[in-house]
Amino acid sequence: MLVFNADQVADLADELSGESATSSSQIQQVLLAAKQVNGLSIKQFSQLLSPAAESFLPQMAQLSQHITQQRFGKNIQLYIPLYLSNWCNNICSYCGFSANIKQRRTMLDMAQIKLEAQAILAKGYQHILLVTGEMPKLAGVDYLTQVVKFLRPLFKHISLEVQPMSVAEYQHLKAVGVDAVLVYQETYHAQTYAQYHLKGKKADYQHRLETADRIAQAGIDKIGLGALLGLYNWRFDAIMLASHLSYLQKHYWRSRYSISFPRLRPCLGDIPQQNLVSEKQLLQLILAFRLFNPQVELSLSTRESAAFRDMLLPLGITTMSAESSTQPGGYAQANQAQLNQFDIDDNRNTQQITQVISQLGYQTVMQDWHASFSR
Ligand code: SF4
């Protein structure tokens, strides 16, 4: 079972936030190590998150680009989320689907899913991420089984971002065709987690933390991890996320992993302001993550602006969402106002994004080839 020494990490994150905690020569040593060995220690990763590392961002970017191209080539995988339901039992104060928000809710039936799938296929996607709020009585394993069985012949890669489940439930969903499951801890700081997750199953920090173990034990090919940047000190959450990844890779080495970097976005919920993460800090985090772990997929969503995504694209990112709608039925009935989970920032269509990818000398990949071969 995963056990973190959160107090030690909190001390380290506080120390790193201080201007003089890490010296320039220490950063230079870490960058030298990143050139010579495959990956960095948690301590070295932590040092790359310090204020002292900010003046080394150009060197970090160059190295991150080189390492990413060595491992992944000049390819960017595109995927699109399909929101199936905005019903949710939980109260998470930063989310537009939170149960306390009194708005009309929707769950797509099979006829509506067919229309959404047709609209998504017409855009050229083969990699789809199915998303629901957390209401297992409605959008539970039976519903998801029906949806995955219907979509499986149409798409090459199916990921899920839904409520945490048991090992047996994940095994069942793998058997009907699920390739990947994403579960973000939101924040690894237990007290802060309790402040924002006020009601429902998600309020159980430990149950959520151990979800990735259950996904891996079920033999799901790929596991997506992340923290919602802006809930707590980003350095603390980044170090904990990196530790979580290292733990999982050590214990469940057959699974592949991806890391996402969602920042808080406007929605109908309350957005806390005190820990917001700047673009410069997010850039630093992504570059540090690449140097820490050259093998892991790094994913960036449409939460970020077009200009920022274009700048980051050649610097370490391997996977991006595009043309996302965060409300159920948002592709086939784009003009219908529904409850959405959060506002996106990059509103370009798929063609515009693939053009940018191509102009930067990269190739757009519309499916996960590894999943297709291993299926
Ligand atoms: S973050 Fe997830 S669990 Fe929490 S309210 Fe939103 S959809 Fe529900």
Side-chain angles (χ1 to χ4, degrees):
M1 193 184 76
L2 173 61
V3 180
F4 286 131
N5 193 334
D7 289 340
Q8 266 182 12
V9 175
D11 289 345
L12 180 59
D14 283 346
E15 193 186 313
L16 285 170
S17 305
E19 292 294 329
S20 57
T22 309
S23 67
S24 294
S25 66
Q26 282 174 314
I27 303 296
Q28 281 166 339
Q29 280 170 19
V30 174
L31 293 180
L32 192 62
K35 278 184 198 160
Q36 292 169 344
V37 294
N38 184 22
L40 298 172
S41 68
I42 292 284
K43 182 164 182 213
Q44 290 168 319
F45 169 69
S46 309
Q47 289 170 326
L48 292 183
L49 303 180
S50 68
E54 282 176 18
S55 31
F56 291 86
L57 285 179
Q59 292 93 320
M60 286 170 68
Q62 203 178 28
L63 202 46
S64 172
Q65 183 180 57
H66 176 69
I67 289 172
T68 308
Q69 286 181 7
Q70 264 188 336
R71 170 68 180 83
F72 296 92
K74 294 181 85 173
N75 298 304
I76 297 289
Q77 255 184 59
L78 278 194
Y79 73 93
I80 194 164
L82 168 50
Y83 277 70
L84 299 169
S85 167
N86 54 21
W87 287 95
C88 192
N89 285 330
N90 300 329
I91 296 183
C92 307
S93 55
Y94 51 81
C95 176
F97 289 173
S98 186
N100 59 326
I101 293 176
K102 302 294 173 216
Q103 290 263 340
R104 198 167 69 84
R105 307 273 172 159
T106 316
M107 186 174 93
L108 301 185
D109 61 25
M110 294 311 293
Q112 291 170 309
I113 291 168
K114 187 174 176 187
L115 290 177
E116 289 291 275
Q118 284 168 346
I120 288 171
L121 286 167
K123 298 176 195 296
Y125 288 91
Q126 285 294 313
H127 179 177
I128 194 167
L129 168 66
L130 305 180
V131 186
T132 68
E134 298 192 6
M135 190 175 276
K137 277 197 179 151
L138 205 60
V141 176
D142 291 347
Y143 172 75
L144 292 169
T145 299
Q146 205 188 353
V147 176
V148 172
K149 279 185 174 172
F150 172 72
L151 294 175
R152 185 70 263 174
L154 305 177
F155 292 92
K156 296 278 194 305
H157 190 269
I158 298 179
S159 304
L160 284 188
E161 188 178 346
V162 302
Q163 63 275 357
M165 296 183 192
S166 67
V167 175
E169 288 170 325
Y170 285 130
Q171 280 171 333
H172 170 77
L173 288 168
K174 175 184 159 75
V176 296
V178 168
D179 297 298
V181 179
L182 281 54
V183 60
Y184 303 154
Q185 186 61 25
E186 317 297 15
T187 174
Y188 287 86
H189 191 258
Q191 291 93 327
T192 304
Y193 186 95
Q195 278 171 28
Y196 292 111
H197 301 96
L198 302 170
K199 182 173 165 270
K201 187 73 180 165
K202 194 169 175 180
D204 186 339
Y205 173 96
Q206 196 64 25
H207 181 259
R208 192 164 188 92
L209 187 62
E210 289 165 8
T211 303
D213 290 77
R214 298 193 297 278
I215 300 168
Q217 285 158 12
I220 298 271
D221 175 45
K222 188 157 71 181
I223 302 170
L225 305 174
L228 183 55
L229 301 170
L231 291 182
Y232 187 63
N233 178 332
W234 66 277
R235 293 186 171 94
F236 172 90
D237 274 326
I239 299 166
M240 294 291 273
L241 178 59
S243 308
H244 196 181
L245 174 66
S246 296
Y247 157 84
L248 291 166
Q249 285 187 315
K250 186 170 164 203
H251 288 82
Y252 310 105
W253 51 270
R254 285 178 194 276
S255 291
R256 294 186 295 144
Y257 296 89
S258 72
I259 301 290
S260 298
F261 303 93
R263 284 196 301 167
L264 275 174
R265 290 287 306 149
C267 70
L268 283 181
D270 292 327
I271 300 295
Q273 301 294 318
Q274 65 272 28
N275 287 306
L276 292 183
V277 176
S278 69
E279 285 190 349
K280 189 175 176 187
Q281 289 168 331
L282 180 54
L283 167 68
Q284 185 178 358
L285 171 56
I286 290 173
L287 300 178
F289 233 106
R290 171 55 69 223
L291 304 190
F292 166 66
N293 190 316
Q295 286 80 32
V296 73
E297 289 185 13
L298 300 182
S299 180
L300 196 65
S301 79
T302 50
R303 285 172 182 262
E304 301 302 335
S305 71
F308 188 51
R309 292 208 324 152
D310 292 353
M311 189 270 285
L312 274 170
L313 192 151
L315 299 183
I317 294 298
T318 57
T319 312
M320 293 176 115
S321 55
E323 209 175 339
S324 304
S325 167
T326 63
Q327 57 181 330
Y331 300 112
Q333 301 162 302
N335 297 325
Q336 272 201 1
Q338 296 271 8
L339 186 61
N340 69 343
Q341 192 177 29
F342 55 85
D343 297 340
I344 65 168
D345 203 351
D346 185 349
N347 289 293
R348 292 172 297 179
N349 66 28
T350 306
Q351 199 185 3
Q352 290 169 315
I353 292 181
T354 54
Q355 265 173 11
V356 171
I357 293 173
S358 161
Q359 281 160 6
L360 290 167
Y362 281 69
Q363 185 181 327
T364 303
V365 180
M366 295 305 259
Q367 69 180 78
D368 184 330
W369 287 106
H370 186 283
S372 305
F373 290 137
S374 59
R375 176 158 291 285

